[in-house]
Amino acid sequence: MAVQNDKAQSPATLMDVAKEAQVSIATASRVLNGSTRKVRNQSYVKVMEAATKLNYRPNAYAQAVAKGTAPNIVLLVSDISDPYFASVSQGVVKAAAERGISVTIGVAATPHEELEAVRKSVSTRPRGIIISESEYTDAPERQALQTELTQYEASGGRAVFVLNRNLPFPAVDMANDVGARAIAKLIVDSGYTRPAILKGDDAHRSSKERLAGVMEVLDEAGITVDPKAVANGKFSRTDGYAAVMQMARSGLLKPGEGALYDGKGIDSIIALNDVMAIGAMTALRANGIEPGREIGVTGFGDIPYSADVFPPLTTVHLPLAEMGQAAVDSILSNRDDGEATGGTANRLIYVQSAPDVVLRGSLPRR
Amino acid sequence: MAVQNDKAQSPATLMDVAKEAQVSIATASRVLNGSTRKVRNQSYVKVMEAATKLNYRPNAYAQAVAKGTAPNIVLLVSDISDPYFASVSQGVVKAAAERGISVTIGVAATPHEELEAVRKSVSTRPRGIIISESEYTDAPERQALQTELTQYEASGGRAVFVLNRNLPFPAVDMANDVGARAIAKLIVDSGYTRPAILKGDDAHRSSKERLAGVMEVLDEAGITVDPKAVANGKFSRTDGYAAVMQMARSGLLKPGEGALYDGKGIDSIIALNDVMAIGAMTALRANGIEPGREIGVTGFGDIPYSADVFPPLTTVHLPLAEMGQAAVDSILSNRDDGEATGGTANRLIYVQSAPDVVLRGSLPRR
DNA sequence: CTGTTAGCGCTTTCAT
DNA sequence: ATGAAAGCGCTAACAG
């Protein structure tokens, strides 16, 4: 019976390589990792050969400890499987990969989880922390989060919010209000007069801004939104679906029966988010109502699949992936560039493209 | 003018805490991180207070170096924004988080990138590497990848494939053939006789298995698939769309004109993957054909949004998130449990639920 | 160009 | 129960 020799065999270390190549460990380090190589060609070759032979892989953690930082950033989202976050993540991962930086994705759905996630992240001393969270601007954890991030920045890290900045840190932002006004204008111009609105939590920054923009235009147009036609929810497919089902159950959807708009029912649904809009469309169908025909629907975000539902969703285009990239760029940018403008704290990072309306089939002219 | 004191201020270290609490660094370590705490209550309190006061956060890298491993696993996908991967990722992240493990997500779209990603991952000495890649079972990198992973396993790591294992390592698998036969049977039983098939690359394992299952049933039913009605592509929305557009351009879609099935055209589309099916439906519409009415459509996977397209997609349900969880479980499971069954190499990890067909509107009876 | 030698922050025997 | 000290694998001065 063989000796217990199938134990885990640890990977070759720099020292192993140095020995094999008969050079000092410092030299080995220089050729294998160091930047400006000032090594004799002969040693270089010897080290490379030894490394290959031993299948050497540097220990990233040891490097990180020795250097003080590691080439990685962490991205916090509330749900990776939400197409919105998926698109942002894609941009983040791509931009990071191009710079040789890896990204750790953490999921945090509640303010509490978020705080915990940030704490854990800080332990990892990343170059930056991107928070692409979507809920709650005012939670009890808010203060603790701010403290944590401030501390983190003081130690050289960079915190960046994406689209829903609710604390004094740099943030990638888009003109939510502009997009909201555009979509509302389209509603008005297309002849709709009795909209329902599907919004997010009032503490949700983006939702609030979009709502404000929409209301402004509606007001100007002399359209009064029936309070009963404004539904709350999270920015999720499920809540969009639920909101419409609720309206249906209350008999608020059908003209005549409904108490909405003096019994005339709604003629459109303005969802402040694409997935809500998609959920709403499905719910409409579940009630025998053809979305886009009987009731116009609009979204916000232009996630990839908004073009594949039927009728295809008219929505506001947000450059999701670019926003993710911008966040990474911001983290990796020169650390002192905020000095001149009074610190980095409140810097807003705008992505080039504007939030334009994408016209598709879900909102035909009346 | 103040001294340059706004420099990055490094976070408190264990030593700082120890000093502050007036105990040894070892004691501090024990209360803050060590498992079985055998520390006097008094010291415990002192250390905790000091840690809080100094806002101590352990340096994860230093811990990793000292311990030899770190609590993290890496997940490789080819595209996070694909709902399929997003769902799997969700399961992975969730399961990992429950065990206090963080997951680093890497994106690798080509075999080459994949190999590079694995190499980089290994540097990070993770507990495990999950590969949820979808293309190419035979690429030149294949051998190198196997070597790399074998080495990795030898050093105590765990490699796990998800659904598309193409190398001798453990894999989370589902009975693709069973699902495929079921969907094909449904096609036949529903009265369809002239299907088009949208498949992935022939080197793609899942695609191959599904195709085989479908063909088997079709054969049994005496249905001969017109070769021109079989389209290749990647498992992507875009390729599904493109495949159908291509058929349309070639005049293969419409009865009479088409050369398919003796000029009678296809009556259904069997996509071996949901996103392809969704792309195909949109393409059908772009050609004035109503999916689900004129031409039946089926998918495979049951991604979240397959219920939101119209008509809702009839597809094979795959427990995506559960598969991700299973991969994590496998990595974290006892390392020696494979011994009895002749090693861990070829172990297949089946997830409980079966690949059942989900009946929705896209495939009405004829 | 290359080797020596301190650390980096933390864990973990080994004594006490 | 607690402290001293030896690493973990690697980088970065600092001398040659």
Side-chain angles (χ1 to χ4, degrees), chain B residues 5-326:
Chain B
N5 66 345
D6 56 348
K7 291 182 65 169
Q9 176 193 322
S10 32
T13 73
L14 232 205
M15 213 184 102
D16 297 332
V17 175
K19 261 181 198 150
E20 176 77 26
Q22 304 190 64
V23 298
S24 80
I25 175 176
T27 299
S29 171
R30 283 189 269 258
V31 1
L32 257 15
N33 312 307
S35 44
T36 34
R37 51 177 254 236
K38 322 196 275 184
V39 179
R40 206 193 334 169
N41 209 290
Q42 188 189 141
S43 330
Y44 180 85
V45 173
K46 280 197 301 183
V47 171
M48 287 308 269
E49 281 175 349
T52 309
K53 176 179 173 193
L54 268 40
N55 211 274
Y56 172 74
R57 296 282 173 273
N59 181 321
Y61 295 132
Q63 290 185 292
V65 171
K67 284 183 178 164
T69 66
N72 80 79
I73 69 186
V74 356
L75 167 64
L76 259 31
V77 301
S78 60
D79 178 7
I80 342 172
S81 64
D82 179 324
Y84 165 79
F85 293 114
S87 291
V88 172
S89 303
Q90 189 189 33
V92 169
V93 173
K94 175 159 173 281
E98 281 167 2
R99 324 281 204 85
I101 289 184
S102 58
V103 5
T104 298
I105 297 191
V107 173
T110 67
H112 180 255
E113 286 176 4
E114 188 175 82
L115 180 57
E116 282 312 305
V118 168
R119 293 218 163 107
K120 275 198 58 175
S121 300
V122 170
S123 283
T124 227
R125 309 283 190 273
R127 292 266 231 282
I129 298 180
I130 299 175
I131 301 182
S132 177
E133 178 52 67
S134 53
E135 315 299 327
Y136 323 102
T137 105
D138 41 47
E141 287 84 357
R142 196 187 135 100
Q143 184 53 50
L145 183 59
Q146 172 159 3
T147 305
E148 194 70 40
L149 290 176
T150 302
Q151 187 90 22
Y152 172 62
E153 282 202 326
S155 70
R158 307 265 271 183
V160 179
F161 280 78
V162 171
L163 207 52
N164 203 41
R165 179 267 295 282
N166 51 40
L167 286 174
F169 294 96
V172 173
D173 213 344
M174 286 291 297
N176 273 313
D177 54 336
V178 173
R181 277 196 292 266
I183 202 83
K185 195 154 304 183
L186 179 63
I187 287 270
V188 173
D189 292 349
S190 300
Y192 293 88
T193 56
R194 306 189 307 276
I197 296 179
L198 264 37
K199 68 185 186 69
D201 195 286
D202 284 320
H204 182 132
R205 194 165 181 267
S206 291
S207 177
K208 211 162 44 179
E209 291 178 358
R210 291 171 195 174
L211 181 62
V214 166
M215 286 313 223
E216 191 183 316
V217 171
L218 256 25
D219 276 355
E220 284 169 10
I223 294 178
T224 313
V225 177
D226 191 316
K228 291 187 296 299
V230 179
N232 253 329
K234 276 177 310 181
F235 273 8
S236 72
R237 190 220 98 114
T238 310
D239 281 16
Y241 184 90
V244 170
M245 290 309 263
Q246 178 56 39
M247 288 188 189
R249 267 196 302 278
S250 313
L252 295 179
L253 237 43
K254 298 184 185 150
E257 302 177 33
L260 255 23
Y261 293 105
D262 299 325
K264 288 197 277 186
I266 63 173
D267 61 4
S268 52
I269 294 179
I270 303 176
L272 267 22
N273 163 283
D274 275 357
V275 290
M276 280 192 110
I278 291 177
M281 283 174 59
T282 300
L284 244 23
R285 273 213 179 82
N287 284 286
I289 299 172
E290 181 63 18
R293 178 179 307 281
E294 298 167 53
I295 291 185
V297 180
T298 65
F300 205 113
D302 195 22
I303 59 173
Y305 289 85
S306 59
D308 287 310
V309 293
F310 185 78
L313 193 61
T314 288
T315 186
V316 175
H317 177 78
L318 254 29
L320 274 5
E322 285 85 339
M323 285 161 49
Q325 292 187 229

Side-chain angles (χ1 to χ4, degrees), chain A residues 25-103:
Chain A
I25 175 174
T27 299
S29 172
R30 283 190 268 258
V31 3
L32 259 14
N33 312 307
S35 43
T36 35
R37 53 175 254 235
K38 321 197 274 182
V39 180
R40 205 194 336 168
N41 209 289
Q42 187 188 142
S43 329
Y44 180 85
V45 174
K46 281 198 301 185
V47 171
M48 286 310 269
E49 282 174 350
T52 310
K53 177 180 172 190
L54 268 40
N55 211 276
Y56 172 75
R57 296 283 174 272
N59 182 320
Y61 294 133
Q63 294 188 150
V65 172
K67 284 184 178 164
T69 67
N72 81 77
I73 69 186
V74 356
L75 167 64
L76 258 33
V77 301
S78 61
D79 178 7
I80 343 173
S81 64
D82 179 322
Y84 166 80
F85 293 114
S87 291
V88 172
S89 303
Q90 190 190 31
V92 168
V93 172
K94 177 159 173 281
E98 281 167 3
R99 324 281 204 88
I101 289 185
S102 58
V103 5

